[in-house]
Amino acid sequence: MSNLPPLNIETIWAILDEKLDDATVNQLLWHYLGYRYDSSTAQWDTSQVTPEWQNEYPQPPDFIESRPATVKLTRSIPAENKQMLKEKLGFKGYKIGEFGPRQTRRATAANWLLSYLQQTNDKIKNSTHKGMEFLGMGNGA
């Protein structure tokens, strides 16, 4: 999991635009939830995972395939951050008929990661990518 993309706005959009594969989306979530794979023991180290995740998911879940894991992920987003994709990025959602559970779960993953970014006060780098103007960070006119 050392080849993960950086957690930034471009990565969030890559999740929403389906430019990152599902495995990478899962790995990003696992990493920021605290799961670490120990190749020497071939087991997951959950010492950095919060007890509420550790108890229910001693091994990291496949968020794209598991509705219960995604529901738990949604519930773990603070109320003030639940609309961040819309409010901060201007994400309007997917068009009717062009999305299913997989896209919805990817949007949940993107929202959780964006919320994590906000909560940990990581700096969101300047970018010309769509949505940056909503953060006041674009090079817009």
Side-chain angles (χ1 to χ4, degrees), residues 74-141:
T74 300
R75 290 180 179 155
S76 72
I77 300 170
E80 66 272 13
N81 292 351
K82 293 215 186 269
Q83 297 296 316
M84 284 187 78
L85 292 180
K86 184 186 342 177
E87 293 170 359
K88 299 286 185 187
L89 299 184
F91 180 64
K92 297 188 184 340
Y94 299 105
K95 293 180 182 172
I96 293 178
E98 294 181 5
F99 73 97
R102 184 175 161 276
Q103 287 78 17
T104 302
R105 292 174 188 155
R106 288 175 68 90
T108 298
N111 199 51
W112 188 90
L113 289 164
L114 187 59
S115 175
Y116 177 88
L117 192 62
Q118 176 86 17
Q119 289 174 17
T120 57
N121 294 319
D122 285 340
K123 294 195 182 199
I124 300 172
K125 297 180 179 161
N126 281 343
S127 170
T128 57
H129 193 286
K130 61 184 175 180
M132 295 309 293
E133 62 276 5
F134 292 94
L135 295 170
M137 300 181 76
N139 55 350

Side-chain angles (χ1 to χ4, degrees), residues 33 35 46-58 72:
L33 282 166
Y35 291 95
T46 60
S47 61
Q48 297 178 51
V49 178
T50 61
E52 57 269 13
W53 281 97
Q54 207 178 76
N55 294 338
E56 198 167 338
Y57 295 100
K72 184 173 184 67

